[in-house]
Amino acid sequence: MDKVLDIFYNKFLKEVQKGKVESDFRYNILFNALIGERKIEAKKYINTIIPTLKISDKKTFDLLLSRYIFEAMSFYDLGYLEVESQIKTLLSFLFANATYDDFENPIQFLQKRIAFLEDQLLPSIAEKFKSELLNLDIIVKCEKSDIVNETPYRIKITLTSLNESMDLPYIYVGIINNEAYIYAIQNEGLSDAKKIKRNLYKLDTNFDVKNDNFENYDIGNLKDISHSFLLAVNILTGILKEKGITKIVVPSILPIRWNSKEISFDIKSEYYDYDSEKRESLLSNHELIQSNLTEKLTRTLLRLAYHHSGINITSYPSENDMNLYLKIEEKDECNNPILDETFKINGGRHV
């Protein structure tokens, strides 16, 4: 049997049942598995929602899983680990990036993750252009992500003026066919570029202009977003459009990452004897942080669509599945001058 499959079925899944995968670290990975008619039940932990990996076409699943691990071993720098630990680590973070829908459709999920690794479009992004309205240069480049991140690549955008420099949040994105999957927009640190930050408040200009596509939506939810997040995803979306990417998918919550924190609380409770009040405080804080992260990402993309007539929402979460879907149209009008300029500028006026 292929070594990857041997480790997956005979070691990894057995440890997943307990929520404790032993590799270079202990990874709190927990899910059920349904292999044909055989059900593998995972241990129950407090406040966890356990997805089920449904493997109906085992032959295709096995081929794709082996292919993914082979390519991921070449992509990520895990050579300091022995082979079994490499495979367990890659499996752990593979499923850590799966949505509930991915667990239901693992063939499509593996095809998607392989495509993210093989993508040549994102690594080709290396842009530098000038914003006249912000009076600064914008540098966009693609970087390889760490194994712990949601996608193999991330987009880094830097704003530079004569006196200041500011990194916008990283965007963790993967490409398959003509679809961009945006999993996360994350700040890596604080910036003291005060003048640039003040200029970003101009992104609120014309937010009060009515958009008929949001007639039944409470737009008050879209006001309290981070300007740096909005500008970053606006710039990236403009670049994606120029490169022929016309669809954006914002995946729903990643249950394994959620459960991992809950399992950690359970384990810590055993060692540190948390009382019920302390534990409830930890759980509430975790729920609030996760809710804020998920909602903030969705609201940022909705705010982008609110300003652009050519970015249309084709499906909200829970309509067809748990993802948010947007379509980038050829014709577009943007009601905010800075967003309009930085969306279109990468199409021609490079410095």
Side-chain angles (χ1 to χ4, degrees), residues 40-309:
I40 299 174
E41 294 277 2
K43 178 182 176 180
K44 301 295 189 295
Y45 288 86
I46 298 174
N47 210 36
T48 55
I49 304 175
I50 306 174
T52 298
L53 179 66
K54 296 182 178 179
I55 305 174
S56 55
D57 182 353
K58 185 174 180 298
K59 181 179 179 180
T60 302
F61 176 87
D62 289 353
L63 287 172
L64 290 172
L65 184 66
S66 294
R67 178 179 168 187
Y68 171 81
I69 295 298
F70 176 77
E71 294 195 18
M73 287 179 75
S74 298
F75 186 90
Y76 294 106
D77 184 17
L78 298 176
Y80 58 93
L81 299 175
E82 53 94 13
V83 173
E84 181 174 319
S85 290
Q86 288 187 51
I87 293 172
K88 281 187 175 181
T89 298
L90 291 169
L91 288 169
S92 295
F93 285 105
L94 168 66
F95 291 106
N97 294 321
T99 65
Y100 287 106
D101 296 308
D102 291 329
F103 277 96
E104 293 282 332
N105 303 283
I107 301 296
Q108 295 178 18
F109 171 60
L110 288 170
Q111 290 170 336
K112 179 171 60 182
R113 300 308 298 193
I114 290 169
F116 289 175
L117 288 172
E118 295 178 343
D119 174 47
Q120 296 299 310
L121 188 149
L122 287 174
S124 72
I125 292 177
E127 310 276 351
K128 182 179 180 181
F129 48 92
K130 186 173 183 63
S131 167
E132 301 291 347
L133 295 177
L134 290 172
N135 191 30
L136 48 73
D137 290 336
I138 300 175
I139 302 169
V140 187
K141 65 179 181 178
C142 178
E143 298 179 343
K144 284 183 66 172
S145 302
D146 294 328
I147 181 65
V148 300
N149 297 126
E150 293 84 349
T151 57
Y153 294 105
R154 66 184 186 183
I155 298 299
K156 181 179 181 180
I157 302 173
T158 304
L159 311 180
T160 62
S161 65
L162 287 176
N163 301 313
E164 293 181 326
S165 178
M166 174 180 172
D167 289 330
L168 295 182
Y170 286 114
I171 304 177
Y172 291 88
V173 57
I175 302 290
I176 177 170
N177 300 325
N178 69 333
E179 293 185 325
Y181 282 74
I182 297 179
Y183 281 78
I185 307 175
Q186 297 175 359
N187 257 330
E188 297 296 317
L190 299 176
S191 170
D192 59 357
K194 296 179 180 179
K195 184 176 181 180
I196 293 177
K197 284 184 176 179
R198 284 197 301 270
N199 279 336
L200 296 190
Y201 282 102
K202 297 175 184 177
L203 295 177
D204 286 332
T205 300
N206 291 335
F207 175 64
D208 56 351
V209 175
K210 184 179 179 181
N211 185 324
D212 291 337
N213 292 331
F214 286 76
E215 184 177 358
N216 298 318
Y217 189 90
D218 180 8
I219 65 168
N221 291 328
L222 305 183
K223 186 172 181 61
D224 185 25
I225 54 94
S226 296
H227 297 98
S228 59
F229 281 52
L230 178 60
L231 181 59
V233 77
N234 181 75
I235 292 169
L236 175 60
T237 304
I239 292 174
L240 293 175
K241 179 182 178 181
E242 290 294 327
K243 293 183 177 294
I245 303 299
T246 59
K247 297 178 182 178
I248 295 176
V249 184
V250 183
S252 61
I253 188 172
L254 305 177
I256 301 304
R257 290 180 181 266
W258 165 270
N259 287 339
S260 176
K261 184 66 73 173
E262 299 297 320
I263 294 170
S264 176
F265 290 155
D266 252 15
I267 294 172
K268 287 180 180 178
S269 294
E270 295 176 8
Y271 284 99
Y272 297 107
D273 193 26
Y274 288 155
D275 58 33
S276 58
E277 186 176 335
K278 171 69 172 177
R279 178 178 173 76
E280 188 61 34
S281 174
L282 289 170
L283 291 176
S284 297
N285 187 52
H286 176 218
E287 291 175 6
L288 178 62
I289 291 172
Q290 182 60 59
S291 175
N292 286 344
L293 287 173
T294 303
E295 291 178 10
K296 185 174 184 178
L297 177 60
T298 301
R299 285 189 290 112
T300 300
L301 271 295
L302 291 175
R303 174 69 179 266
L304 180 72
Y306 189 85
H307 285 289
H308 287 272
S309 67

